[in-house]
Amino acid sequence: MSSPEAHVRPERSAARSAAGPVVAITGAASGVGLALASRLVDSDQVKKVVAIDERRGDVPGATWRVLDVRDPAIAEKLRGADVVVHLALDLDLESDAKARSAFNVRGTQTVLTAAAAAGVHRVVLCTSAMVYGAQADNDVPLAEDAPLRATSEASFVDDLLEIERLGRRAPRAHPGLNVTILRPAVLVGGTDTALTRYFESPRLLVVAGSRPCWQFCHVEDLVSALEYAVLEKVDGEMAVGCDGWLEQEEVEELSGIRRMELPPAIAFGAASRLHRLGLTPSPAGDLAYTMHPWVVSGSRLHEAGWRPKWTNEEVLAELLEEVAGRNSVAGRRLGRKDATTLGAAGATVALVGTAALVRRARKRRGI
């Protein structure tokens, strides 16, 4: 940072010191938390940013508090904050599922309780539009007050549903505490999920008879929506995403990736066996989110004046650029050797049919 720039931040801090909320952000060292912290530090509408994580991140101008969000001592670190944005979630596909769930649920419980104890008046949670569930009879788009019909069969969804339950209960247990929940569509921008890995495949798996609709949310748009929540421009539970959606045929045309269509019984049976054997990180339930629509309207943010800067087409193009050179089938990353040996179509057939990798797994286990 040059010395002239170094003098800018103190002047801006002084100018805004008398107004605006003090905002604490958990998970501020990386991902969405880092992006939000960087944005709010530069905002004249925010008085101070308290960044909380297990390690210090690169956000000049933020006040850092290094600790685990499950530590009850976080209550003292939140004292003086007006708003807490809780983004310290483990959504890593490769994490141990039980440990991941324990971290996500316990962390959210602790943050909500600590925020109430510290006198914080608003907590902002971020889950996913996946909580609505991917169902064949879903409206397109879904209203934001549509029932949450997701099941625990997909990655992280159990954690996200529990986080939302905790968020809804918190104001009843702690009068005066407001909880706002944002639910982004398929998140893109330095993310790694079962749904972004779908586009790393040599063929796009389509389950016969399904009606896929794709709606994305760029991280930059999520961050701007979170800022709306921080500044109390929106309230309650709301969805975030690009306007509209893309049909599967449009996705295939834009991506240039051809489809591989399988009957439901074969697709779900193979996905279930592969996950049970530990060969893929994605449970069979993830397939539903590539089959049925779960497009959201985002009307509550729109009514508050928020608009996405990215279109679905633009986000898909960025996603394809991000995953270029990667090879995944059924959510499992293939090394260069695997991809070269099996070939594009061969890799899909081998993995979906479970033959090559199942034999390899059995050989390792001495079966």
Side-chain angles (χ1 to χ4, degrees):
M1 183 180 296
S2 64
S3 56
E5 189 175 341
H7 289 295
V8 172
R9 291 191 188 279
E11 290 174 5
R12 296 185 71 176
S13 296
R16 67 189 182 194
S17 61
V22 174
V23 184
I25 304 169
T26 69
S30 62
V32 178
L34 177 62
L36 179 63
S38 300
R39 183 181 180 104
L40 296 188
V41 158
D42 288 334
S43 171
D44 291 329
Q45 298 180 73
V46 173
K47 188 181 202 177
K48 178 181 178 182
V49 174
V50 179
I52 299 172
D53 212 315
E54 293 179 70
R55 62 180 177 85
R56 189 182 178 91
D58 184 18
V59 186
T63 300
W64 282 90
R65 300 288 183 258
V66 179
L67 81 166
D68 188 318
V69 292
R70 295 169 294 181
D71 187 341
I74 195 173
E76 189 57 38
K77 309 300 182 185
L78 296 179
R79 203 163 298 281
D82 301 296
V83 183
V84 174
V85 184
H86 178 49
L87 299 171
L89 298 178
D90 180 0
L91 300 178
D92 189 337
L93 284 170
E94 312 301 336
S95 294
D96 175 77
K98 288 184 179 179
R100 181 178 63 213
S101 183
F103 176 84
N104 290 337
V105 174
R106 179 63 184 275
T108 302
Q109 285 176 323
T110 304
V111 167
L112 288 167
T113 302
V120 173
H121 76 267
R122 175 182 292 252
V123 174
V124 180
L125 302 176
C126 184
T127 59
S128 168
M130 291 177 75
V131 297
Y132 289 107
Q135 305 288 341
D137 61 348
N138 274 347
D139 291 334
V140 180
L142 286 162
E144 284 168 301
D145 59 358
L148 307 186
R149 298 199 291 161
T151 68
S152 60
E153 297 169 354
S155 299
F156 317 127
V157 170
D158 228 10
D159 293 359
L160 300 178
L161 289 169
E162 182 58 26
I163 287 168
E164 294 221 1
R165 282 191 286 267
L166 291 169
R168 283 192 294 273
R169 287 201 298 262
R172 296 196 294 270
H174 308 288
L177 180 67
N178 175 290
V179 176
T180 299
I181 300 174
L182 270 65
R183 301 166 178 152
V186 179
L187 195 59
V188 175
T191 57
D192 178 27
T193 68
L195 293 166
T196 59
R197 287 191 184 188
Y198 178 81
F199 293 93
E200 298 177 12
S201 299
R203 296 286 185 271
L204 296 180
L205 174 63
V206 176
V207 178
S210 63
R211 179 174 66 119
C213 293
W214 290 91
Q215 181 186 37
F216 301 99
C217 177
H218 195 277
V219 164
E220 289 179 1
D221 282 336
L222 174 58
V223 167
S224 72
L226 287 166
E227 184 179 26
Y228 259 61
V230 163
L231 298 176
E232 302 189 27
K233 296 180 180 180
V234 289
D235 195 38
E237 301 166 359
M238 65 210 73
V240 192
C242 299
D243 291 335
W245 62 90
L246 298 173
E247 303 285 351
Q248 182 71 22
E249 292 75 16
E250 294 176 283
V251 166
E252 291 168 19
E253 182 179 350
L254 290 167
S255 67
I257 307 174
R258 289 182 293 170
R259 70 167 61 193
M260 178 179 181
E261 194 161 314
L262 291 174
I266 294 176
F268 276 94
S272 180
R273 288 193 298 274
L274 288 167
H275 185 64
R276 192 168 58 248
L277 285 165
L279 295 172
T280 59
S282 300
D286 284 348
L287 273 179
Y289 289 88
T290 68
M291 293 174 60
H292 307 305
W294 48 292
V295 172
V296 289
S297 69
S299 59
R300 289 177 180 167
L301 275 164
H302 285 205
E303 288 166 4
W306 179 90
R307 291 293 184 276
K309 290 186 176 180
W310 291 74
T311 66
N312 283 302
E313 291 85 352
E314 290 169 341
V315 180
L316 176 59
E318 170 141 328
L319 172 56
L320 293 171
E321 187 175 332
E322 283 188 6
V323 304
R326 299 177 191 166
N327 293 283
S328 292
V329 184
R332 179 184 183 270
R333 285 256 169 86
L334 299 176
R336 287 185 179 179
K337 185 176 180 182
D338 291 321
T340 301
T341 301
L342 294 172
T348 305
V349 173
L351 191 52
V352 173
T354 74
L357 293 176
V358 170
R359 283 199 300 271
R360 190 182 304 173
R362 286 175 172 170
K363 184 176 180 181
R364 283 199 301 266
R365 298 177 187 183
I367 298 176

